[in-house]
């Protein structure tokens, strides 16, 4: 089907396509998902600490001005 325009393909063109994932594919997907979730938690933790520090710093500088 190489070189055939996509819009000329019909539903029957795809019925012969069989694609299955191997165990390695599933393990890779699970590993990447795990890494993304850990990176998300770490990023949120660092952003929370940064926001907390900025809030305390601005509050302390306001008290010094008084």
């Amino acid at each position: 089907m190489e070189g055939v325009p996509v819009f000329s393909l019909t539903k029957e063109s795809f019925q012969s396509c069989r694609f299955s994932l191997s165990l390695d594919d599933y393990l890779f997907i699970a590993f990447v998902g795990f890494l993304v979730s850990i990176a998300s938690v770490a990023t949120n933790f660092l952003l929370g600490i940064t926001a907390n520090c900025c809030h305390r710093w601005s509050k302390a500088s306001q008290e010094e001005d008084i």
Side-chain angles (χ1 to χ4, degrees), residues 5 23-24 26 37 51 58:
L23 179 61
D24 290 340
Y26 285 116
S37 65
S58 68

Side-chain angles (χ1 to χ4, degrees), residues 9-65:
L9 297 175
T10 62
K11 185 177 179 181
E12 289 78 27
S13 303
F14 295 98
Q15 287 182 344
S16 63
C17 295
R18 299 284 181 232
F19 182 76
S20 63
L21 297 174
S22 68
L23 179 61
D24 290 340
D25 296 329
Y26 285 116
L27 290 175
F28 178 75
I29 291 168
F31 181 69
V32 169
F34 178 74
L35 287 181
V36 167
S37 65
I38 294 298
S40 173
V41 168
T43 302
N44 287 325
F45 180 73
L46 291 174
L47 286 173
I49 288 175
T50 304
N52 192 12
C53 289
C54 289
H55 178 70
R56 287 184 181 193
W57 179 71
S58 68
K59 195 175 187 179
S61 65
Q62 286 176 356
E63 288 176 359
E64 288 176 2
D65 292 342

